[in-house]
Every structure is written in C-alpha cells, then in structure tokens.
C-alpha cells in the first residue's frame, strides 16, 4: 500500500512560511485558514512543537478586529470562517484564554438572522458553512448560550434534501462539503436526530469511485479533500463501514509528493496545504498508524477537544 511520508510532509509545511511566490500573494487573504490547515496537520503528525508558537499567536492576535471577529490576515476584513480558524489554532496551542471569549461570542451572535441562519460577515451572505462555523466556534469557547441554538439547528435541518443530503440554503443542491457542515453543526448542536442516517449514508458512500477516492457530487472527479468531507460525515452518522477504507487509504497515499512533501487533489497534480491537511485528516479518520485521531465534528485532534471539554471538570472527592 505504501507509507505516509511524514518527514517530507513536515518539511513541506515548515517551508510554506518562507515562500514568496505568486501563489502566496494571491492567497494572502486565506492565511488564517492556511495556518489552521498546516498547524493541525503538524499536530496530527506529532510535530506541532516544531512551529514557532509565540510568533504564530502574536500574528493571530493582530488579525482580531475591534468587533471581536478575526480576519484571514492582518488588515483584512473579519469573517466567521477565519474566526473559527483562529479559535481552532488557539485551541491547538491551549491558548484560548489569551482572547476575550465574550467579545468573540458577541461578534458571532450578531451574525445570526431571524430564521436561525448566519451571515458570514457584515455583508450578509447566508450559507450553512457559516452555521457550522458559528456553532463550532461558540462550542469551543463554551458560549453556545449566546445564540438561539434551537433556531440555528432548525435552519440547518431545513436545508435537508430528498436524497438525504444538505445544501447551502433551503433547496440548495446536496454537496459533500455542505453535508459535513450541516451534519457537524447538528452533531455539536444536539440535532443529529434530523438526519436520515441510512439515506444520507447511501448518498455519501456512492461518492466512492473506482480509484478508491471520493467525489463531492455525482459524476465528478475524486478529490482528496472529500476524504474528509465525506468520511467525517459517515463517521458522525456511524456509516463509515459502508465504504472501502483500504482503497480510500491507497488513493490518498497515491496523491503524495514523496520527493518534496505535500498532498495533491489527485495523483500527479501539484500539492498544496489545503489538500495536505485533508489527506492527513482523512488518514487519521481511517486510523492510519502514527497519526493522532481527529474529532470528526470539531476537525481538531481528539486530545485537543478532550482538553477543552473534560480537563477542567472538577474531580469528585475520594472517600
């Protein structure tokens, strides 16, 4: 089957901050997301300590706005997508206390609309991606009471389609990426009972093609990123055994650049940090040896999630 080239992928991720090419300039606004993808990959591979924590946290705090939200980079506009990525990075480093959690929660809560949906930012675009970001972020901050969670869950449930999948808004086409966002939001928000697990599970397992890879919609090419979007959803609804895990594992491993590191969308394509993260996260869900397990709903290593929700619980006195 081949092996995951962990040492090469670690070197690849460490090299990204030094790159000054056109791609780096064109994706400057996505740097917060890129940092989350790279750092979470490093943590899953057991090499997070090799990154400069102090410099990363200092840069991250410079991306926070007076509103409480975070932007994709310094001097860019805040957005709920980047706010979640910032909170996830701080969670990785166990540094959530360096921010004013109530201020971040206030920024997110004011994005909720009357129907329970969420806008991504002040410009008002509605998408279930933003529902997931809001619910996940507030859960990590332990501030879910700051929104109308019942309405938030009802809006996501209203985006369910006849095929069991979910779209970006009510009536929107089912898509594996949106399905992760909706199932993840429902899992965290206590609304998984809205999911038809068998119907959705069937739709998701049909995303596996002959190569073993997964696609996002019928008749599309496979892409490593769906190793996360599809598989995490199947794990959350307990239907991951419906796909051929060995073939998926091989597809991801075939997308590696074994010489320079990194993972691409499909074999022999150019690598990037986005697909590197989703490939490693997919292998983690497949219980690949040597990788930390990742939580399918929070998209963070399980030990990070456990630290947030369980390490502060008071121990019962012994008698």
């Amino acid at each position: 089957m081949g092996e995951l080239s962990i040492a090469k992928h670690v070197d690849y991720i460490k090299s990204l901050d030094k790159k000054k090419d056109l791609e780096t300039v064109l994706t400057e606004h996505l740097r917060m997301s890129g940092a989350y993808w790279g750092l979470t990959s490093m943590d899953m591979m057991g090499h997070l300590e090799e990154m400069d924590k102090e410099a990363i946290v200092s840069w991250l705090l410079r991306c926070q706005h007076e509103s409480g939200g975070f932007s994709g980079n310094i001097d860019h506009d805040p957005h709920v997508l980047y706010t979640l990525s910032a909170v996830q990075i701080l969670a990785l480093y166990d540094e959530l206390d360096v921010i004013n959690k109530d201020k971040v929660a206030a920024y997110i809560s004011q994005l909720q609309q009357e129907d329970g949906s969420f806008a991504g930012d002040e410009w008002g675009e509605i998408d279930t991606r933003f529902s997931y970001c809001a619910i996940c972020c507030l859960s990590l901050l332990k501030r879910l009471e700051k929104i109308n969670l019942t309405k938030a869950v009802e809006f996501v449930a209203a985006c369910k389609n006849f095929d069991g999948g979910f779209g970006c808004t009510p009536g929107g086409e089912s898509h594996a990426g949106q399905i992760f966002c909706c199932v993840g939001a429902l899992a965290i928000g206590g609304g998984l009972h809205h999911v038809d697990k068998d119907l959705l599970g069937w739709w998701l397992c049909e995303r596996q093609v002959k190569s073993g890879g997964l696609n996002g919609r019928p008749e599309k090419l496979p892409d490593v990123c769906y190793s996360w979007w599809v598989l995490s959803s199947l794990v959350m609804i307990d239907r991951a055994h419906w796909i051929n895990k060995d073939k998926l594992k091989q597809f991801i491993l075939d997308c590696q650049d074994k010489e320079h590191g990194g993972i691409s969308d499909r074999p022999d394509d150019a690598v990037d940090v986005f697909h590197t993260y989703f490939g490693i996260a997919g292998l983690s869900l497949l219980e690949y040896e040597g990788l930390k397990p990742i939580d399918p709903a929070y998209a963070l290593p399980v030990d990070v999630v456990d630290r947030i929700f369980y390490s502060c619980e008071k121990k019962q006195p012994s008698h």
Side-chain angles (χ1 to χ4, degrees):
M1 179 174 284
E3 295 183 1
L4 182 67
S5 304
I6 289 180
K8 293 290 186 181
H9 300 321
V10 167
D11 288 343
Y12 165 71
I13 292 170
K14 289 168 68 175
S15 74
L16 292 173
D17 198 45
K18 302 181 182 69
K19 290 179 68 176
K20 303 296 180 184
D21 57 8
L22 179 61
E23 180 184 3
T24 304
V25 174
L26 294 175
T27 58
E28 178 188 355
H29 62 295
L30 297 172
R31 194 175 182 200
M32 187 68 75
S33 295
Y36 158 71
W37 297 325
L39 293 169
T40 308
S41 298
M42 292 291 279
D43 198 15
M44 283 187 285
M45 293 186 292
H47 290 266
L48 182 62
E49 75 283 352
E50 296 180 30
M51 307 301 283
D52 189 338
K53 172 181 172 179
E54 185 175 339
I56 291 166
V57 173
S58 175
W59 163 78
L60 182 149
L61 293 176
R62 292 177 65 195
C63 295
Q64 187 174 24
H65 288 245
E66 187 59 36
S67 64
F70 288 82
S71 57
N73 207 338
I74 298 168
D75 296 329
H76 287 252
D77 294 334
H79 196 287
V80 72
L81 288 169
Y82 307 124
T83 301
L84 173 59
S85 292
V87 168
Q88 288 171 315
I89 292 169
L90 292 173
L92 284 174
Y93 279 123
D94 197 16
E95 291 289 350
L96 284 172
D97 289 338
V98 303
I99 56 174
N100 183 327
K101 297 176 184 177
D102 289 325
K103 190 172 183 178
V104 179
Y107 168 76
I108 295 172
S109 65
Q110 56 90 26
L111 293 173
Q112 188 171 30
Q113 309 299 301
E114 183 61 34
D115 63 357
S117 65
F118 284 85
D121 58 15
E122 64 179 304
W123 306 110
E125 180 187 4
I126 304 298
D127 193 307
T128 45
R129 289 179 300 155
F130 310 148
S131 294
Y132 168 75
C133 290
I135 292 171
C136 183
C137 193
L138 291 175
S139 179
L140 290 170
L141 296 174
K142 299 182 180 178
R143 297 293 190 278
L144 274 174
E145 75 281 358
K146 299 295 184 179
I147 60 169
N148 188 325
L149 185 58
T150 299
K151 276 194 168 185
V153 166
E154 287 175 350
F155 174 78
V156 172
C159 297
K160 183 169 67 174
N161 292 319
F162 71 93
D163 54 14
F166 292 82
C168 58
T169 53
E173 178 188 8
S174 294
H175 185 281
Q178 300 294 153
I179 287 170
F180 161 77
C181 292
C182 292
V183 174
L186 293 174
I188 296 170
L192 270 183
H193 58 279
H194 290 290
V195 179
D196 185 330
K197 295 180 181 180
D198 284 343
L199 185 60
L200 176 58
W202 181 250
W203 191 93
L204 289 168
C205 75
E206 283 195 316
R207 305 279 62 75
Q208 190 164 38
V209 300
K210 289 182 180 180
S211 66
L214 300 163
N215 61 26
R217 290 176 291 166
E219 304 303 321
K220 296 294 184 178
L221 292 173
D223 188 316
V224 157
C225 69
Y226 295 111
S227 305
W228 170 260
W229 306 122
V230 172
L231 188 55
S232 60
S233 299
L234 285 169
V235 171
M236 285 188 279
I237 63 173
D238 194 27
R239 299 296 185 275
H241 56 288
W242 285 9
I243 64 166
N244 188 319
K245 294 182 179 180
D246 286 338
K247 288 190 70 174
L248 175 58
K249 194 178 296 184
Q250 185 61 63
F251 175 79
I252 299 171
L253 294 173
D254 287 345
C255 292
Q256 298 180 99
D257 182 336
K258 294 183 178 180
E259 183 179 355
H260 302 104
I263 299 175
S264 59
D265 58 348
R266 284 177 284 279
D268 301 321
D269 282 356
V271 305
D272 57 65
V273 69
F274 175 86
H275 290 95
T276 300
Y277 163 70
F278 288 112
I280 292 170
L283 289 172
S284 174
L285 289 175
L286 292 166
E287 301 179 336
Y288 190 91
E289 186 176 358
L291 295 178
K292 280 187 179 183
I294 190 168
D295 187 284
Y298 289 99
L300 287 169
V302 169
D303 64 338
V304 174
V305 177
D306 287 348
R307 184 174 65 217
I308 292 171
F309 294 110
Y310 304 117
S311 65
C312 295
E313 291 183 355
K314 294 181 179 179
K315 295 181 179 179
Q316 292 296 321
S318 56
H319 296 287

